[in-house]
Amino acid sequence: MLPSETYFGKFEAVFLFYGAMPTGVAVSETGRIFICFPKWGDDVKFTVAEIVHDTLQPYPSMESNVVNPSNIATSFISVQSIVADGKGTLWVLDTGAPNFSEPIKGGAKLVAVDLKSNTIRRVYTFTDDVVLPTTYLNDVRFDFRVGKAGYAYITDSSSRGPGAIIVVDLETGYAWRRLNGAHSTSPDPYFLPKVEGKILMNRNKDGSTSPFRLASDGIAISPDGKTLYFCPLSSRQLYSISTEALRDRTIPDMNLQDHVKYWGEKGASDGMITDAKGTVYAGDYENNSIRKILPNGIMETVAHDPRLLWPDTFSIGPDQYLYFIVNQLHRQARFHYGNDLRVKPYSLLRMKINEPPAPTF
């Protein structure tokens, strides 16, 4: 018998999806599990759900998952990311941009849902100089130790405009763009992604092709809230910046790049998350792998398996498991001349890491 590639890492299936393709998962401090399904062409009946008794229930209600043109601020349009903050709130990041369209006016938003009452507590919308016509709100992290109500940091993973980190003052709702179009938030122009042994690029039905280019996407925050890690989706590089510098409006954006730290190659990642010890977990979608990056910069692959077909969003539960979505994103029709190569089910998996999530407060 010929030798073959070695696979390793122990994980188990939590939930299998036979309908629409999920991207996000969030596990609350009480162990509740939430999922989101952006509207990218699948039949999405609800864009945010909770797993209850092995079934998907629209969350917080079916009503909030139906687009209401007369009240666009309180209805979810196309949710890319959900984050449970560890203190009783599920944060819903609505792109307002189904099928990567220009965001619907007033539709791109950050929504706080109270997990006790299962009701929307507050909606943060954005001005036109923050959410641009090209913006795609991708993922978000929180720190409630600064300011009166804390801050949120959101990645803009635009495919046709500047990438950025959007900073939100959660007390006032005031938001601004940082590292707008900077090298660290932009796609690597020399990056050629290879997944399942093949080059990944946009391949349209009409036969035309273009490079796969997405800006800042993965994001993680250190346990003390002082460092924000981030990476473009079309890149293998990891960067970080002090959150204090991001919040400091006296530093001009062009000078902010001097505050960015380069950590080296970690593989091409979609999702990232930090545990309570400051270890960053990151997917490596080119190599069907999950990496961890220790605070001292040492990187280690913790799982490598052919079933890890595009590890997407990560969440760490109170049970000290790393939860992650595997969704075959690269097999979508838009990368294969209109042929959908995804094979159901998509999956929510978990692996034991023996560490709780990084605290936000």
Side-chain angles (χ1 to χ4, degrees):
M1 226 169 106
L2 288 169
S4 65
E5 191 166 355
T6 303
Y7 295 110
F8 55 89
K10 210 169 150 193
F11 54 86
E12 62 192 36
V14 178
F15 194 86
L16 302 177
F17 303 87
Y18 290 91
M21 176 180 122
T23 59
V25 57
V27 185
S28 79
E29 67 274 16
T30 60
R32 293 169 71 182
I33 301 174
F34 302 91
I35 306 290
C36 65
F37 306 87
K39 292 176 187 168
W40 288 352
D42 289 349
D43 179 19
V44 174
K45 294 187 168 51
F46 34 81
T47 186
V48 181
E50 181 177 7
I51 299 174
V52 184
H53 306 308
D54 285 329
T55 61
L56 290 167
Q57 308 284 347
Y59 189 82
S61 65
M62 192 64 211
E63 188 190 9
S64 53
N65 278 273
V66 176
V67 179
N68 178 356
S70 65
N71 200 353
I72 215 84
T74 57
S75 55
F76 300 151
I77 300 167
S78 179
V79 173
Q80 171 71 28
S81 175
I82 44 175
V83 174
D85 65 7
K87 49 180 280 183
T89 302
L90 180 74
W91 295 86
V92 175
L93 189 62
D94 190 348
T95 64
N99 285 317
F100 305 101
S101 66
E102 187 174 316
I104 293 165
K105 189 87 175 151
K109 55 192 173 286
L110 178 64
V111 181
V113 184
D114 186 294
L115 289 172
K116 273 204 178 74
S117 62
N118 300 311
T119 54
I120 291 174
R121 191 176 69 239
R122 186 162 173 188
V123 178
Y124 297 85
T125 54
F126 303 100
T127 52
D128 292 345
D129 58 337
V130 175
V131 166
L132 312 176
T134 54
T135 290
Y136 192 82
L137 299 179
N138 195 293
D139 209 348
V140 59
R141 293 293 176 261
F142 297 90
D143 181 17
F144 302 104
R145 291 159 289 207
V146 285
K148 287 189 177 165
Y151 278 79
Y153 307 95
I154 301 170
T155 46
D156 179 349
S157 68
S158 177
S159 62
R160 54 190 191 279
I165 308 285
I166 295 169
V167 181
V168 189
D169 180 336
L170 295 172
E171 183 207 4
T172 61
Y174 184 65
W176 60 96
R177 296 174 70 86
R178 295 299 253 160
L179 297 173
N180 186 58
H183 170 76
S184 57
T185 58
S186 302
D188 176 352
Y190 303 109
F191 172 68
L192 196 63
K194 292 174 274 301
V195 192
E196 292 194 82
K198 294 176 181 163
I199 288 170
L200 179 69
M201 62 194 306
N202 300 312
R203 295 182 175 92
N204 306 314
K205 265 186 185 168
D206 63 8
S208 63
T209 61
S210 62
F212 176 66
R213 292 271 184 271
L214 282 169
S216 47
D217 182 319
I219 187 171
I221 193 164
S222 62
D224 61 7
K226 290 183 175 168
T227 305
L228 194 75
Y229 301 92
F230 59 98
C231 62
L233 188 67
S234 300
S235 163
R236 299 184 186 98
Q237 320 303 331
L238 177 63
Y239 302 96
S240 73
I241 190 168
S242 122
T243 53
E244 187 182 2
L246 280 176
R247 295 189 306 271
D248 185 351
R249 303 295 308 282
T250 65
I251 303 171
D253 209 45
M254 58 183 292
N255 297 357
L256 197 60
Q257 305 184 42
D258 302 337
H259 295 260
V260 173
K261 180 180 174 186
Y262 174 58
W263 287 75
E265 274 207 18
K266 52 133 182 55
S269 311
D270 199 327
M272 293 201 302
I273 197 84
T274 326
D275 71 16
K277 282 212 174 114
T279 300
V280 177
Y281 290 83
D284 177 354
Y285 61 73
E286 291 185 292
N287 296 295
N288 311 89
S289 298
I290 293 173
R291 291 245 154 78
K292 69 177 184 183
I293 301 105
L294 301 174
N296 63 5
I298 290 173
M299 301 190 193
E300 181 191 333
T301 305
V302 293
H304 173 50
D305 192 286
R307 293 167 294 181
L308 298 181
L309 289 165
W310 202 282
D312 200 320
T313 308
F314 292 180
S315 182
I316 299 172
D319 53 7
Q320 304 194 350
Y321 274 88
L322 176 71
Y323 287 76
F324 54 98
I325 293 283
V326 169
N327 60 15
Q328 307 167 53
L329 185 148
H330 62 288
R331 291 180 174 181
Q332 289 177 99
R334 64 194 181 103
F335 302 120
H336 302 282
Y337 302 111
N339 301 309
D340 186 358
L341 305 182
R342 298 171 299 172
V343 178
K344 291 176 185 178
Y346 316 112
S347 51
L348 169 62
L349 307 175
R350 70 176 188 177
M351 64 184 293
K352 193 81 171 174
I353 58 169
N354 295 313
E355 280 297 331
T360 56
F361 59 96

